[in-house]
Amino acid sequence: MLTLINRIHPRLLPLLSPLIAIVSALIVGAILMLMAGANPITAYSILFQESLSTYFGFGNTLTKMTPLLFASLGVLVALRAGQFNIGGEGQIYLGALGSTLIGLYVQGLPAVIHIPLALLAGFFFGAVWGWIPGYLKAMRGVNEVITTLLLNYIAVNLVSYLVQNPLMATDAPSPYSPLIAKTARLPIILPQSLAHAGILFGLITAGILWVLLVRSPLGYQITAVGFNPIAARYAHISVERTIMLVMACSGGLAGLAGSCEVMGLKYRLFEQVSPGYGFDAIAIAFLSRGSVIGVVLTSLFFAALRSGANVMQRSAGVPITVVYAIQGFMVLFIAISLAVEREIRVKTQRNAKV
């Protein structure tokens, strides 16, 4: 892999290195399958055919793609400003909580008002949870990686306490809330499947975010702060305000991931809202190399892996853990490619000076 990256032209690295990382991870996954006594060609065929080419499988893929897309867009926004939001998981939980409260305690509204209000509450709860580390970073110099990571545990345990006590449904066999109002539920877009309108909102959000980051003054401001905060100050850009804004927006987008899980899939708040979407989002954002379109495609790829994993286990005898290992190797290989890419660019600059 290292030799291959070294031979690539520096301008093509941002496009090709993620593909190399994905292919390398799939190759390692195939080796793991062979060690487990399974046929990797058969396993991969089953995995991707089930998740992308069948009606119900594709619906399940879209359902899993929705929270991944929102959370990954949140990580991407933070990265554009040079901030590392590791708190997507906690922000997902807070977003789910906000939408649940609106769905449970605000009654009598038509769906055209109730749904946007519940989504707005999810965005607001997630945004507050993202703004806290943004404020601490901008005003106190506290590392955002530490604060966002620690806030994950607070959010998860807060939701756990609420669904075990004040929000727990009557006579519930396990911790979960009552069902939210029907007017607060996202409509199904593929009949008799789990795919809901959250994926449409996610794609629209991705389009708006692309325009915001690439075609607007605010996007230039965010990029300037991420590229060189000292130069941004000389350009009269408020670095502190930009960091707080970006972290709040990042948390709000992750909060929408939790909103869609409650409003489009589960219709109630469970103790385990997310199976790790917030952490997968970090890998997706890095693999996408700062591209909104890349986030959409990589989210689809990760969702397909999750969607087809169970069928692959039943039909090909490959454990689901192999899929998680593939995702982990993708992160490892993209980290390696980033390090190699940096060395290549440094050498190119030195040779240009000579």
Side-chain angles (χ1 to χ4, degrees), residues 89-104 118 121-123 125-126 159 167 177 180 254-263 266 268-270 272-274:
E89 191 75 358
Q91 292 149 13
I92 289 173
Y93 274 74
L94 263 293
L97 174 61
S99 294
T100 300
L101 294 176
I102 297 297
L104 288 178
F123 181 89
F125 273 56
V159 169
L167 290 182
S177 74
I180 62 173
L256 287 175
S259 298
C260 290
E261 283 294 280
V262 170
M263 298 170 60
K266 299 173 181 175
R268 63 170 90 232
L269 184 64
F270 281 84
Q272 299 293 331
V273 177
S274 167

Side-chain angles (χ1 to χ4, degrees), residues 74-88 91 130 133-134 137 142-149 152 226 243 246-247 250 282 285-286 338:
V75 177
L76 176 67
V77 170
L79 286 175
R80 278 297 187 101
Q83 307 304 305
F84 296 93
N85 181 12
I86 313 297
Q91 292 149 13
K137 172 65 178 294
V142 182
N143 189 289
E144 77 278 7
V145 174
I146 297 173
T147 51
T148 52
L149 185 61
N152 282 335
I243 290 174
V246 162
M247 290 299 289
S250 177
I282 300 170
F286 274 98
L338 287 172

